[in-house]
């Protein structure tokens, strides 16, 4: 009996200790909740990361990271394109929720879902010609970023519809939304009403329409973007590998200011992180170096380790070669092939230099130092080297046959 009483007493004490510890934890949790409810506005730990419209920081300062909450819920139109994947990655990396409208296959946004924490990248199928569909993908957003653009026409979408009318419609809907705190339009360097390129004229019209609807919108005008999925060095290298020469439009003297695509994505994120100072402003985003088309081709040849061979094609002949697609585009009952080097509108754009103007706001105004192209930014071209990444036509190393003895 004495042993049983001693055992019962010891277990009772243990039970009491456990209950005391539990109630102590519960009391602390309740106090934490009370602090959050009563003092959330004053306590920076629990303060809202969202600012009033047009004022202050959009992004809460803290440790950041994919599992944090930045306060940004961004609808990124055109996120499945070239620039989109880099922008989504940077937004997701700091804990933003990204709504990804797409109009094609369910597979098109799949690669983006891996860039953010669970549930942070939300693909949403939509119809760009359906206003209700657009409103649905913007319903929960406080940031809208428009990356939609195309440098060639198809049977279904003209330059004006894709580059101007869609952008204008997004601005109008964002204005009516009431909760959109930042609107960023990605245009093109060289966009002007007087440009010889229809796409650049449409982009200029879009800028004017957007700033008319939303004077506080931010416009980014990147130069030709370079990166793993780019539409200039990749087609060039593929053509050289297949045919052994590169058609050089004109005499190769047109000047451009190519920029690394990751730097453009960083500029957009930097504009979102500022205190609103970038609102209502236009930034021209060019790389740190100016290239002629011939010099850029030399960089490509140097990277893929091939001897440079060019066929210089005067502008009139290049336009004549590109013309049949444009003439037949809406006259044949089947889609025309996507133009690469011989794109009539791109050839028109090459008739004038495309450089950042001296008085324009640049990367420096966003606190970003753009990277030079030679090196890391063009390493993706290594895949085009003959014999593997360590070889190529211009190196002396040869594959040594293995000895089987």
């Amino acid at each position: 009996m004495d042993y049983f009483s001693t055992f019962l007493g010891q277990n009772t004490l243990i039970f009491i200790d456990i209950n005391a510890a539990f109630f102590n934890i519960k009391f602390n949790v309740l106090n934490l909740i009370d602090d959050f409810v009563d003092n959330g506005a004053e306590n920076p730990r629990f303060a809202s990361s969202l600012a009033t419209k047009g004022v202050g920081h959009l992004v809460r300062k803290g440790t950041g990271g994919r599992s944090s909450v930045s306060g940004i819920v961004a609808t990124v139109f055109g996120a499945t394109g070239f620039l989109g994947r880099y922008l989504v990655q940077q937004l997701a990396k700091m804990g933003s929720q990204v709504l990804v409208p797409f109009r094609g296959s369910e597979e098109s946004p799949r690669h983006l879902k891996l860039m953010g924490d669970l549930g942070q990248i939300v693909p949403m199928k939509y119809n760009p010609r359906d206003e209700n569909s657009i409103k649905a993908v913007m319903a929960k957003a406080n940031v809208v970023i428009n990356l939609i653009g195309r440098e060639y026409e198809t049977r279904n979408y003209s330059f004006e519809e894709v580059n101007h009318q869609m952008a204008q419609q997004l601005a109008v809907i964002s204005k009516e939304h009431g909760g959109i705190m930042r609107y960023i339009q990605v245009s093109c360097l060289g966009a002007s009403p007087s440009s010889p390129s229809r796409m650049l004229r449409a982009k200029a019209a879009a800028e004017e329409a957007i700033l008319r609807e939303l004077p506080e919108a931010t416009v980014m005008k990147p130069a030709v973007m370079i990166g793993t999925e780019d539409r200039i060095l990749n087609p060039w290298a593929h053509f050289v590998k297949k045919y052994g020469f590169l058609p050089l439009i004109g005499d190769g003297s047109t000047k451009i200011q190519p920029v690394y695509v990751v730097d453009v994505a960083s500029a957009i994120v930097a504009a979102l992180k500022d205190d609103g100072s970038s609102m209502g402003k236009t930034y021209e985003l060019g790389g740190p170096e100016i290239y002629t088309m011939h010099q850029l081709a030399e960089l490509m040849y140097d990277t893929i380790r091939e001897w440079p061979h060019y066929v210089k094609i005067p502008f009139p002949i290049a336009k004549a070669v590109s013309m049949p697609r444009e003439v037949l585009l809406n006259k044949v009952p089947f889609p025309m092939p996507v133009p690469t080097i011989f794109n009539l509108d791109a050839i028109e754009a090459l008739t004038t230099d495309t450089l950042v103007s001296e008085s324009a706001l640049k990367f420096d105004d966003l606190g970003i130092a753009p990277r030079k192209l030679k090196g890391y930014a063009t390493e993706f071209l290594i895949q085009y080297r003959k014999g593997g990444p360590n070889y190529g036509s211009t190196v002396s190393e040869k594959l040594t046959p293995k000895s089987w003895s």
Side-chain angles (χ1 to χ4, degrees):
M1 181 67 69
D2 292 338
Y3 173 79
F4 179 76
S5 299
T6 302
F7 175 79
L8 184 63
Q10 290 176 345
N11 279 275
T12 302
L13 290 173
I14 292 172
F15 177 76
I16 291 171
D17 288 341
I18 292 172
N19 272 282
F22 172 77
F23 283 115
N24 188 37
I25 292 171
K26 183 177 180 181
F27 178 76
N28 289 334
V29 170
L30 289 174
N31 282 338
L32 198 64
I33 293 172
D34 288 339
D35 286 341
F36 175 75
V37 173
D38 297 333
N39 304 314
E42 289 78 18
N43 191 335
R45 182 179 176 187
F46 303 113
S48 171
S49 59
L50 296 183
T52 56
K53 186 174 181 182
V55 183
H57 290 276
L58 250 178
V59 182
R60 180 171 69 180
K61 294 182 179 179
T63 57
R66 295 177 190 276
S67 297
S68 62
V69 178
S70 73
I72 292 177
V73 181
T75 299
V76 183
F77 290 91
T80 55
F82 175 34
L83 173 59
R85 66 183 65 208
Y86 297 96
L87 177 58
V88 169
Q89 190 270 337
Q90 293 201 26
L91 288 171
K93 187 169 65 174
M94 65 182 190
S96 304
Q97 187 172 50
V98 185
L99 310 178
V100 180
F102 69 98
R103 64 180 182 87
S105 164
E106 298 283 346
E107 305 295 319
S108 56
R110 186 175 64 174
H111 62 286
L112 301 175
K113 295 191 71 174
L114 304 175
M115 296 178 180
D117 207 354
L118 185 64
Q120 290 295 86
I121 310 297
V122 185
M124 302 180 72
K125 197 171 183 68
Y126 89 120
N127 180 355
R129 288 172 172 158
D130 182 3
E131 185 175 330
N132 291 328
S133 175
I134 296 171
K135 288 180 178 178
V137 299
M138 290 170 55
K140 304 295 183 182
N142 53 36
V143 170
V144 172
I145 304 173
N146 180 29
L147 309 180
I148 296 175
R150 179 168 280 174
E151 65 273 14
Y152 60 90
E153 287 187 299
T154 65
R155 298 170 65 205
N156 297 319
Y157 291 96
S158 67
F159 282 125
E160 289 71 27
E161 182 176 9
V162 172
N163 297 294
H164 173 201
Q165 294 168 16
M166 286 185 185
Q168 183 177 10
Q169 185 179 33
L170 294 181
V172 171
I173 294 173
S174 297
K175 184 178 180 179
E176 296 171 351
H177 185 286
I180 302 300
M181 302 164 67
R182 294 299 300 270
Y183 185 100
I184 296 180
Q185 165 72 10
V186 177
S187 185
C188 287
L189 187 64
S192 166
S194 60
S195 173
S197 162
R198 281 181 60 200
M199 185 199 75
L200 294 178
R201 292 198 298 270
K203 284 288 188 182
E207 292 175 23
E208 183 182 349
I210 289 166
L211 293 174
R212 186 169 57 248
E213 296 290 339
L214 297 170
E216 67 274 18
T218 304
V219 178
M220 300 289 182
K221 301 178 72 170
V224 174
M225 291 183 288
I226 303 297
T228 306
E229 305 84 13
D230 74 25
R231 301 186 184 98
I232 180 167
L233 295 184
N234 274 304
W236 283 3
H238 181 76
F239 195 97
V240 167
K241 190 172 182 180
K242 188 173 182 180
Y243 299 108
F245 71 95
L246 178 66
L248 201 59
I249 308 299
D251 58 358
S253 63
T254 304
K255 293 179 181 178
I256 59 174
Q257 207 165 336
V259 61
Y260 186 36
V261 64
V262 175
D263 293 333
V264 177
S266 299
I268 296 171
V269 173
L272 290 178
K273 286 182 176 180
D274 69 16
D275 57 357
S277 58
S278 62
M279 298 179 73
K281 295 180 180 177
T282 298
Y283 294 84
E284 296 188 3
L285 307 178
E289 298 171 314
I290 295 174
Y291 287 83
T292 64
M293 297 300 286
H294 184 269
Q295 289 170 338
L296 188 61
E298 287 288 317
L299 174 61
M300 181 271 297
Y301 269 115
D302 184 57
T303 307
I304 68 173
R305 294 178 178 172
E306 290 292 332
W307 300 109
H309 297 287
Y310 301 102
V311 175
K312 293 185 178 181
I313 303 177
F315 282 112
I317 296 176
K319 292 177 185 178
V321 171
S322 308
M323 188 63 72
R325 180 188 184 275
E326 309 305 317
V327 173
L328 297 174
L329 184 62
N330 294 310
K331 295 183 179 180
V332 294
F334 51 84
M336 297 296 291
V338 174
T340 53
I341 294 177
F342 291 99
N343 179 348
L344 181 60
D345 197 73
I347 292 169
E348 295 282 7
L350 285 175
T351 58
T352 58
D353 296 339
T354 307
L355 303 175
V356 174
S357 57
E358 291 293 331
S359 59
L361 295 172
K362 308 177 183 69
F363 276 112
D364 295 343
D365 298 286
L366 293 167
I368 295 172
R371 279 166 276 196
K372 294 183 178 181
L373 291 190
K374 189 169 185 178
Y376 181 76
T378 51
E379 275 189 355
F380 65 92
L381 291 173
I382 289 175
Q383 64 183 305
Y384 295 100
R385 291 177 181 172
K386 290 181 180 178
N390 296 323
Y391 300 93
S393 300
T394 61
V395 295
S396 58
E397 294 89 351
K398 300 294 181 184
L399 287 171
T400 304
K402 292 182 178 180
S403 175
W404 299 98
S405 58

